[in-house]
Amino acid sequence: MIARRLGLILYLLIAACTSSGETADNAAGERLEAASIATGLVADPATIPLDGIWARDSDRMCIMPASGGEDDAPRHIGVLLDYGEGQGCTARGTLTRSGRDLTIALGACRFSARLDGDSIQFPAALPATCNGLCTGRATLSALAVERVSASVAEARTLRGPNGTALCAD
């Protein structure tokens, strides 16, 4: 274990000394991340399970397998933001994963999100087609949620304001 940590520290020092610009910094960061995953210091984004409930404050998201349930198949996704007084968003659709990149389709609203450890981050700028999923001044832009539960049974229970299951077939 000590040898791994010393190796990682040596790698960090070498990476810091050899970078000569943004491209070198990016490559060094990618090498550092790969080394961290290989040594087990950082979880591999490609192996982090997505199914379950994700949340932050009053924002909720469910993800669960579509019927068939293969790991690389599209998954059901549902999003519920409720800020009260006619301010909120409700959406359901599909999610496809490629490593840490998540392709999300909520009807005509389509975009890429990012999986970072135990959190999912939507981009700050979403297509205009996503505006129709929200009421008032609410938006799905820059939504960030963290894993609350890895239970598919709990993911099935997330419901929209009208009682519709957001992650069901």
Side-chain angles (χ1 to χ4, degrees), residues 6-7 16 31-32 36 42 56 84 87 89-90 105 110 114 121-122 132 166 168:
L6 288 174
R31 288 192 310 268
L32 176 60
S36 298
V42 174
R56 182 176 286 165
Q87 309 289 321
C89 303
T90 305
R110 298 173 187 271
R114 185 102 168 137
Q121 175 76 47
F122 285 14
L166 295 180

Side-chain angles (χ1 to χ4, degrees), residues 52-54 58-66 74-82 88-95 104-107 122 133 140 143 145 152-169:
I53 296 288
W54 299 73
S58 63
D59 303 340
R60 302 278 180 266
M61 179 187 303
C62 59
I63 301 173
M64 62 180 274
R75 309 193 94 58
H76 292 296
I77 182 173
V79 182
L80 177 65
L81 283 59
D82 184 3
C89 303
T90 305
R92 59 187 298 217
T94 60
L95 175 148
I104 297 176
L106 304 170
F122 285 14
L133 300 171
L140 293 172
L143 173 68
V145 290
V152 171
E154 286 185 48
R156 278 191 188 99
T157 66
L158 187 64
R159 307 245 177 235
N162 64 357
T164 303
L166 295 180
C167 277
D169 281 330

